[in-house]
Amino acid sequence: MIKTFKNIIANLAKNAVIAAEEEYGSGQGKIKKQKAIAYIIEHLPFSPFINKIIGFTLSNIIDELIETSVAGLHEMQQIQGE
């Protein structure tokens, strides 16, 4: 169950990073990260109250998954740019 939940957050992180990148473009890393965190918490499949608790409790995991998604996005952008 924990692995499945982590997969859900990982997929949300990927979508959040792409959405933030499209909205803000290059730079603005701090703002994009804040928007990505908000996106993940908002789109968790629970009530808004529970989502906030999960966001607070799992903030380190969410941060890690966002960083992994950012690295993956940058890698894809480099491959497409070459």
Side-chain angles (χ1 to χ4, degrees):
M1 179 171 151
I2 292 173
K3 191 168 189 157
T4 302
F5 190 65
K6 189 172 180 179
N7 288 339
I8 291 169
I9 296 174
N11 287 331
L12 287 172
K14 184 177 173 183
N15 293 337
V17 166
I18 291 169
E21 186 68 25
E22 288 175 356
E23 185 173 346
Y24 294 99
S26 296
Q28 305 294 325
K30 188 174 182 176
I31 291 171
K32 289 191 291 188
K33 190 169 198 175
Q34 290 171 344
K35 292 293 182 177
I37 291 168
Y39 178 98
I40 292 168
I41 292 170
E42 180 182 324
H43 288 87
L44 288 170
F46 306 104
S47 72
F49 177 73
I50 299 297
N51 288 354
K52 287 181 184 180
I53 291 171
I54 290 170
F56 178 76
T57 305
L58 301 179
S59 61
N60 289 336
I61 292 171
I62 291 170
D63 187 58
E64 175 186 317
L65 292 170
I66 288 172
E67 292 300 325
T68 300
S69 295
V70 167
L73 178 63
H74 288 167
E75 185 177 318
M76 286 181 55
Q77 288 172 335
Q78 286 180 338
I79 290 169
Q80 291 175 352
E82 294 179 350

